């Protein structure tokens, strides 16, 4: 046992020595060659193998020791040695794996390095390097700080830098200059070709200068882009040619760039500018600068060329074809002839060259164009000064567009061609009658004038020779009609007294019919009435009998009654208009006298009398005079309060006059006081209260020319400046309708403009300065601005502008009084009772009917009813007046009322007119034509309810009394069918109807009305302005309809307000005024009035198309069935099925479902018919209900989906299965899961073939 212990101790000591030896060996391993990258693969692996062999030997030795240790019962003594040995073996294995990885890296990079430069795939190479790098990072058991790992990481990093650089340098954009820069950077010399090896590039050590190499590669790419761009520019502009258009049908060809070429030019200029911003410009600086100059030359030259051609085109017609201009501007005409030769030479040269680049870059061409434009500018300036001179001589030229003015000036020597332009500057004159006393070819004499407001011909007492310059004889035209009107007023005043009209109503009526000018008769009527009242005042004061004032009132009432009786006789239209105007004024005069009697007024100094607008004939000695048997002299003078105005004899035509109410009298007092104080006047109030009409009527009372201007947002300050110049120089009034629609910037300038006018009037100046021009001043000038406060698109007036206008608040007038007066003027005897019923009905309508935007119970609607009532009374004299009014109220209103509102309206009507039953007036012959057109021209069905026929006749009635009509209803409600059928029917009966239709929503407001180019002041026509002008120039008076098919909005419809009201005038920013003639109508096809202001809604009649009863879709089905290629029995079956399924289905969708895209009933039915057309054939008729149900489900139900969390398609499925049980759907799935096959329902899934996957 002692020997065992001894041996045990010996081996214990050996184990300790072995452990220490292992520790020493392990500590020495970190200095082995394979831990140092520079050792290389061969040395590293040799050392790894040696160490491995040594460790293997040690492991065998350890096994021996372990065997002995087990025998001595202390194997744990070798645990530390085992652990050390195991760790060393693992470390060596890891290092071996690392060097194995390096071997793979060397093989990979060597494979790359021997590639030819042209064969290198940098992207793939970089991917392989990155994959290798990733694997290297995954060696977690290697000391990351060891030299071998750091070395391997370093080399792989160099490759990760090198690969992208190779990719950059392999770009085709690399040129020799770039390689030279690269060689200089690396300090190497290498001739780069496709045959060099990647090793050569690696040896250049590019990875040391990555940023610089990238810069060189980027420079190459950018320069290549420049090179490509420059090449493209050369390719593009070597082939771009001018577009040539014949000038006015001549051989002269105008040159221009096409829109595509203009866009290309702009893009190319941006590209060149971007190249200038590049830091790599140097290589192509010469070429880029050259193209900058070239494109700049093209841009500037073509722009200037277009300007030269525009100006030359504008001036050519005047300086070459107008003798008037040649005579007035001889020097400029001669200069223009030289310019004309230059322009012709330029255009000829352009035609020869053809190519834009070569023409625009020709030396000196821009200088020639510049010189030509400069010379044209002188001619244009002279022309504008010439036109301004003409305007100063005849200021009404300011109210014309430049094009119209030039037309007048160019035809100045031919008055017969100037006369058609009269309505553009004379409000009421259509034309002058001309005669040629000196023979054909000489200057004519004007012998009389025709009215364009109403129908009237006024002869001139002395023929007017139209000689001299156009502006001079036009001024003489004004003097001529003023002299004629004054002459006839004098004559009529004498005749009135001579025939004893003051006491004899019958004689007064005959005198009225005999007068030459209706205007003169109304003037005499006012003078004699004032004389009647003031004579009664003086007699009452002298005798003390106030009853004399009442006797004068009774006398006036009797005179009025005789005029009312006169309307019931057979009168011509012009005479009837005269009598109606006389009744309107007489009724007001009677009411004034009635108030005077009630207020016990017996003095002419009383305010009740002073506040009335009165007229006196003032002789040359200043004495008031009604009549005298001797020759009269003097003039008419209007007085109201302390304001006096001379009657100016502006011709007013034979139009209607406004019913003057106490509200109107107050407006007249305020307006005349504003004029007396040298201010403007600003009536403001809701739509339809008579703001514009009151202004126009006051102008008519004073015989002033009143120009209504629609103040559109497109008007600029220069347009307004020209209007103010014209008003101030001609002494006219301007009524700016919807003035607060102007933009704030223009309103600010307007303040300065109108203040200049007011200051000049106040200082009694003869001339004043406005916008730099010296303007002659006629102190009779007046400006009125009407406004609808608070409406969409309105601006707040500047405080300075407000101070120049005296405000008037215009509220709802006395409708009953207006109705009574208008009833009398239409010949109704029981006017007071009728007016009471009429006003009561409209008051109840306003309170009881729904508050829909389409309802208008105001003045314009009232006037329409009264016009219709007058027509009915004259057409059917046997009808009682109550029946006439009842029919008028019914027939003019039912077109716009539907649903429950119609029941309420008819109930009110029957309550107000109990026992009165009058059938509506019908033209049965024309209705037959309408039905025939409906069926034969369009293939429509004449529905049993005659709904479409009724709506067409309502449209006919409305067009007879309104020149603007809204056809309002949902899509598919027969709106388009309405006017198309009526157009064809009217044409068929010989009343050829022209319709121009377009959508105002498809274009901008400028494209609709036209616009002024702010830079050149050139006017560009709009679609509507051109259409109105062209239709107005057509010689015949057949119906002309302008149809605007698109929903209303305030952006475009407000500018049409002056067209839609009684002015019937489209006023444009160019100062052109285009009239809507009597035979022309505006028809608007709209869905609703949700975005229209009351100012628009009240101006048009409305035909409301309702699709609630399903008439439209039923008619569609009937028409479809007629065209269907199936037998009669099949058609009858289809009709039964339609009646069975469609109403309930459409009703369910309407009441229950919400649609993502709104659809109307006829859309569903149209889809149903189309689906049946496609699927239903003779062979399927036996299963017709199956096919019909299938088509209904998919045409009406398939548009349903989930909306707001509710699945309406699922609801439809449930409803259909519960309600429609003739064709029973299976309980499984929905109705949309089935189709029809052989008279049974099959699932769609059954059509899908089973696919077996192998």
């Amino acid at each position: 046992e002692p020997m065992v212990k001894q041996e045990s101790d010996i081996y214990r000591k050996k184990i300790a020595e072995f452990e220490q030896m292992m520790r020493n060996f392990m500590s020495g391993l970190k200095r082995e060659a394979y831990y140092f990258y520079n050792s290389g693969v061969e040395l590293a692996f040799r050392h790894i193998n040696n160490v491995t062999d040594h460790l293997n030997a040690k492991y065998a030795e350890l096994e021996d020791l372990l065997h002995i240790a087990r025998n001595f019962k202390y194997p744990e003594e070798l645990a530390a040695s085992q652990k050390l040995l195991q760790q060393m073996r693992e470390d060596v294995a890891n290092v071996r794996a690392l060097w194995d990885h390096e071997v793979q890296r060397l093989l990979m990079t060597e494979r790359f390095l021997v590639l030819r430069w042209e064969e290198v795939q940098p992207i793939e190479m970089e991917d392989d390097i990155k994959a290798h790098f990733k694997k290297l990072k995954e060696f977690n058991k290697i000391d990351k700080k060891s030299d071998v790992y750091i070395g391997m990481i370093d080399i792989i990093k160099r490759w990760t830098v090198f690969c992208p650089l190779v990719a950059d340098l392999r770009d085709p954009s690399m040129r020799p200059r770039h390689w030279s820069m690269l060689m200089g950077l690396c300090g190497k010399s290498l001739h780069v070709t496709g045959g060099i090896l990647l090793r050569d590039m690696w040896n250049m050590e590019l990875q040391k200068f990555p940023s610089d190499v990238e810069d060189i590669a980027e420079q190459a790419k950018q320069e290549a882009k420049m090179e490509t761009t420059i090449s493209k520019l050369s390719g593009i502009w070597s082939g771009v040619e001018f577009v040539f258009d014949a000038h006015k049908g001549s051989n002269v060809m105008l040159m221009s760039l096409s829109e595509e070429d203009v866009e290309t030019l702009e893009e190319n200029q941006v590209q060149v500018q971007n190249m200038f911003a590049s830091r790599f410009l140097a290589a192509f600086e010469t070429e880029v600068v050259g193209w900058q100059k070239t494109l700049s030359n093209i841009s500037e030259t073509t722009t200037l060329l277009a300007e030269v051609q525009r100006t030359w085109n504008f001036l050519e017609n005047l300086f070459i074809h107008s003798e008037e201009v040649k005579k007035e501007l001889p020097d400029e005409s001669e200069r223009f002839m030289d310019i004309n030769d230059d322009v012709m030479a330029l255009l000829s040269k352009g035609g020869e060259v053809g190519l834009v680049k070569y023409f625009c870059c020709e030396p000196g061409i821009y200088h020639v164009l510049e010189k030509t434009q400069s010379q044209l500018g002188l001619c244009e300036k002279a022309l504008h000064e010439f036109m301004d001179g003409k305007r100063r001589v005849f200021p009404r030229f300011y109210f014309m567009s430049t094009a119209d003015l030039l037309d007048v000036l160019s035809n100045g020597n031919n008055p017969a061609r100037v006369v058609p332009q009269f309505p553009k500057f004379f409000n009421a004159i259509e034309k002058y009658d001309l005669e040629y006393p000196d023979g054909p070819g000489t200057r004519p004499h004007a012998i009389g004038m025709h009215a364009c407001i109403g129908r009237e011909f006024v002869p001139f007492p002395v023929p007017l020779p139209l000689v001299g310059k156009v502006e001079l004889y036009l001024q003489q035209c004004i003097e001529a009609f003023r002299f004629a009107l004054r002459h006839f007023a004098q004559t009529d005043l004498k005749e009135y007294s001579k025939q004893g009209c003051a006491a004899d109503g019958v004689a007064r009526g005959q005198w009225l019919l005999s007068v030459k000018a209706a205007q003169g008769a109304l003037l005499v009527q006012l003078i004699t009435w004032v004389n009647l009242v003031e004579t009664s005042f003086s007699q009452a004061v002298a005798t003390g009998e106030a009853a004399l004032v009442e006797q004068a009132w009774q006398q006036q009432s009797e005179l009025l009654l005789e005029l009312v009786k006169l309307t019931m006789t057979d009168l011509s239209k012009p005479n009837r208009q005269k009598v109606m105007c006389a009744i309107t004024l007489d009724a007001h005069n009677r009411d004034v006298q009635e108030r005077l009697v009630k207020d016990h007024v017996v003095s002419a100094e009383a305010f009740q009398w002073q506040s009335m607008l009165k007229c006196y004939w003032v002789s040359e000695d200043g004495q008031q005079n009604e009549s005298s048997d001797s020759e009269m002299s003097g003039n008419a003078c209007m007085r109201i309060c302390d304001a006096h105005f001379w009657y100016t004899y502006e011709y007013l035509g034979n139009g209607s006059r406004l019913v003057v109410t106490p509200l109107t009298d107050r407006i007249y007092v305020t307006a005349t006081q504003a004029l007396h104080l040298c201010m403007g006047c600003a009536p403001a109030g809701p739509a339809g209260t008579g703001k514009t009409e009151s202004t126009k009527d006051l102008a008519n009372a004073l015989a002033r020319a009143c120009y209504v201007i629609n103040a559109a947002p497109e008007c600029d300050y220069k347009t307004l400046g020209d209007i103010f110049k014209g008003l101030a120089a001609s002494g006219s009034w301007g009524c700016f309708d919807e003035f607060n629609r102007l933009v704030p910037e223009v309103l600010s300038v307007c303040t300065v403009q109108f203040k200049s006018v007011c200051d000049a009037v106040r200082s009694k100046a003869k001339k004043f300065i406005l916008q730099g021009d010296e303007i002659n001043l006629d102190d009779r000038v007046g400006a009125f601005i009407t406004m609808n406060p608070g409406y969409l698109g309105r601006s707040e007036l500047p405080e300075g502008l407000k101070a120049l206008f005296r405000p008037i608040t215009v509220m709802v007038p006395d409708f009953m009084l207006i109705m009574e007066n208008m009833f009398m003027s239409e010949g109704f005897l029981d006017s007071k009772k009728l007016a009471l019923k009429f006003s009561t009905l409209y008051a109840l309508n306003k309170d009881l009917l729904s508050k829909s935007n389409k309802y208008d119970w105001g003045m314009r609607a009232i006037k329409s009813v009264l016009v219709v009532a007058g027509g009915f009374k004259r057409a059917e004299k046997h009808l009682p007046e109550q029946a006439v009014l009842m029919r008028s109220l019914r027939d003019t209103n039912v077109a716009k009322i539907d649903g429950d509102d119609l029941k309420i309206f008819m109930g009110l009507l029957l309550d107000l007119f109990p026992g009165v039953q009058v059938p509506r007036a019908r033209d049965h012959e024309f209705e037959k034509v309408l039905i025939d057109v409906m069926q034969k021209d369009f293939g429509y069905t004449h529905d049993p309810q005659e709904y479409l026929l009724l709506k067409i006749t309502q449209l006919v009635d409305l067009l007879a009394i309104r020149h603007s009509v809204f056809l309002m209803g949902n899509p598919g409600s027969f709106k388009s069918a309405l006017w198309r059928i009526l157009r064809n029917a009217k044409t068929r009966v010989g009343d050829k109807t022209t319709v121009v239709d377009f959508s105002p929503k498809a274009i901008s407001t400028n494209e609709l009305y036209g616009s002024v180019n702010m830079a050149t002041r050139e006017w560009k026509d709009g679609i509507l302005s051109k259409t109105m002008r062209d239709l107005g120039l057509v010689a015949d008076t057949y119906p002309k309809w302008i149809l605007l098919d698109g929903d209303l909005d305030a952006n475009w419809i407000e500018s049409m307000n002056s067209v839609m009201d009684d002015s019937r005038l489209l006023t444009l920013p160019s100062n052109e005024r285009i009239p809507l003639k009597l035979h022309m109508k505006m028809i608007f096809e709209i869905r609703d009035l949700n975005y229209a202001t009351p100012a628009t809604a009240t101006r048009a009649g409305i035909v409301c198309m309702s699709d609630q009863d399903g008439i439209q879709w039923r008619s569609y089905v009937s028409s479809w069935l007629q065209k269907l290629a199936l037998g009669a029995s099949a058609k009858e079956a289809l009709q039964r099925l339609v009646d069975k399924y469609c109403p309930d289905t459409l009703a369910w969708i309407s009441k229950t479902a919400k649609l993502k895209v709104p659809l109307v009933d006829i859309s569903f039915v149209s889809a149903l018919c189309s689906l049946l057309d496609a699927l239903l054939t003779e062979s399927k008729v036996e299963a017709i209900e199956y096919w019909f149900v299938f088509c209904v489900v998919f045409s009406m139900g398939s548009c349903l989906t989930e909306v707001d969390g509710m699945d309406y398609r699922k609801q439809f499925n449930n409803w259909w299965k519960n309600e429609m049980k003739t064709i029973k759907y299976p309980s499984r799935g929905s109705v949309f899961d089935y189709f029809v096959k052989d008279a049974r329902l099959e699932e769609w899934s059954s059509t899908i073939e089973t696919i077996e996957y192998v």
Side-chain angles (χ1 to χ4, degrees), residues 33-185:
Y34 54 74
Y35 271 112
F36 296 91
Y37 183 74
N38 289 334
S39 299
V41 173
E42 186 177 347
L43 180 61
F45 272 107
R46 191 162 61 243
H47 279 256
I48 288 172
N49 291 333
N50 292 338
V51 171
T52 301
D53 292 343
H54 181 73
L55 289 176
N56 288 338
K58 292 299 178 184
Y59 184 76
E61 187 177 344
L62 176 66
E63 287 295 320
D64 292 338
L65 290 174
L66 182 61
H67 175 72
I68 295 171
R70 284 195 186 104
N71 291 329
F72 287 116
K73 310 295 183 187
Y74 49 79
E76 67 278 359
E77 295 287 339
L78 281 169
S81 298
Q82 284 179 314
K83 189 174 181 181
L84 289 173
L85 186 60
Q86 184 62 33
Q87 184 176 349
M88 284 187 286
R89 294 184 74 174
E90 287 179 2
D91 288 346
V92 171
N94 288 334
V95 171
R96 180 184 293 276
L98 184 64
W99 280 101
D100 285 339
H101 187 74
E102 176 66 6
V103 170
Q104 295 300 318
R105 196 275 305 167
L106 286 169
L107 293 172
M108 178 183 67
T109 53
E110 186 62 27
R111 177 166 50 86
F112 293 155
L113 292 172
V114 298
L115 288 173
R116 295 169 61 194
W117 181 245
E118 60 188 12
E119 297 172 350
V120 172
Q121 300 295 327
I123 304 300
E124 295 177 7
M125 188 168 71
E126 186 175 5
D127 290 342
D128 289 347
I129 292 295
K130 285 181 178 177
H132 188 85
F133 195 12
K134 183 179 179 183
K135 288 180 180 177
L136 181 61
K137 286 185 175 180
E138 291 173 357
F139 281 91
N140 296 322
K141 294 182 179 180
I142 295 292
D143 183 6
K144 300 295 177 71
K145 294 180 181 179
S146 64
D147 181 77
V148 63
Y149 187 82
I150 292 172
M152 291 182 184
I153 286 288
D154 180 62
I155 193 69
I156 205 71
K157 283 184 176 178
R158 286 163 62 191
W159 274 96
T160 56
V161 174
F162 178 70
C163 289
L165 298 180
V166 170
D168 289 340
L169 297 177
R170 282 275 291 123
D171 194 280
S173 60
M174 291 293 289
R175 299 287 184 269
R177 64 179 178 275
H178 303 123
W179 291 118
S180 298
M181 294 170 63
L182 191 65
M183 301 308 157
L185 174 68

Side-chain angles (χ1 to χ4, degrees), residues 125-291:
M125 188 168 71
E126 186 175 5
D127 290 342
D128 289 347
I129 292 295
K130 285 181 178 177
H132 188 85
F133 195 12
K134 183 179 179 183
K135 288 180 180 177
L136 181 61
K137 286 185 175 180
E138 291 173 357
F139 281 91
N140 296 322
K141 294 182 179 180
I142 295 292
D143 183 6
K144 300 295 177 71
K145 294 180 181 179
S146 64
D147 181 77
V148 63
Y149 187 82
I150 292 172
M152 291 182 184
I153 286 288
D154 180 62
I155 193 69
I156 205 71
K157 283 184 176 178
R158 286 163 62 191
W159 274 96
T160 56
V161 174
F162 178 70
C163 289
L165 298 180
V166 170
D168 289 340
L169 297 177
R170 282 275 291 123
D171 194 280
S173 60
M174 291 293 289
R175 299 287 184 269
R177 64 179 178 275
H178 303 123
W179 291 118
S180 298
M181 294 170 63
L182 191 65
M183 301 308 157
L185 174 68
C186 300
K188 309 283 185 179
S189 178
L190 178 66
H191 178 61
V192 180
T193 64
I196 67 170
L197 300 180
L198 183 61
R199 190 186 306 281
D200 299 324
M201 200 60 66
W202 174 261
N203 292 336
M204 291 180 65
E205 298 180 317
L206 300 177
Q207 59 274 16
K208 291 184 178 180
F209 320 100
S211 298
D212 296 324
V213 174
E214 286 173 358
D215 284 347
I216 293 172
E218 180 64 20
Q219 180 176 344
K221 291 175 185 176
Q222 295 302 324
E223 288 178 358
K225 286 182 182 178
M226 290 186 192
E227 192 173 1
T228 303
T229 303
I230 291 169
S231 177
K232 284 183 180 178
L233 291 176
S234 300
I236 290 170
W237 291 102
S238 61
V240 174
E241 296 182 345
F242 281 111
V243 176
F244 295 96
D245 295 309
H247 172 57
K248 296 179 181 176
S250 66
N251 294 327
V252 178
M253 303 301 287
L254 299 178
M255 304 187 301
S256 64
L257 278 181
S258 67
E259 289 186 10
E260 293 81 1
D261 291 337
V262 171
E263 290 177 4
T264 301
L265 176 61
E266 291 172 353
E267 289 173 6
N268 291 163
Q269 284 183 301
V270 171
Q271 289 173 338
V272 170
Q273 197 60 38
N274 289 340
M275 284 194 282
F276 266 106
S278 173
R279 58 195 176 99
F280 306 115
L281 175 66
F284 294 100
E285 186 170 6
T286 304
E287 291 89 339
V288 174
V289 169
W291 272 108

Side-chain angles (χ1 to χ4, degrees), residues 319 324-334 379 382-383 386:
F319 283 105
E324 178 80 10
V325 175
K326 286 182 181 178
K327 188 189 300 180
E328 293 285 344
L329 301 171
D331 294 340
E332 283 74 15
S333 296
E334 188 174 336
C379 294
L383 179 66
F386 163 68

Side-chain angles (χ1 to χ4, degrees), residues 977-1001:
L978 203 65
W979 63 264
R980 288 193 176 112
I981 293 169
L982 181 56
R983 174 196 60 192
N984 286 19
K986 288 174 76 69
T987 302
R988 184 179 291 188
V989 298
D991 199 12
K992 182 183 177 183
T993 302
T994 303
V995 179
V996 179
D997 63 314
F998 57 90
S999 171
K1001 298 289 285 182

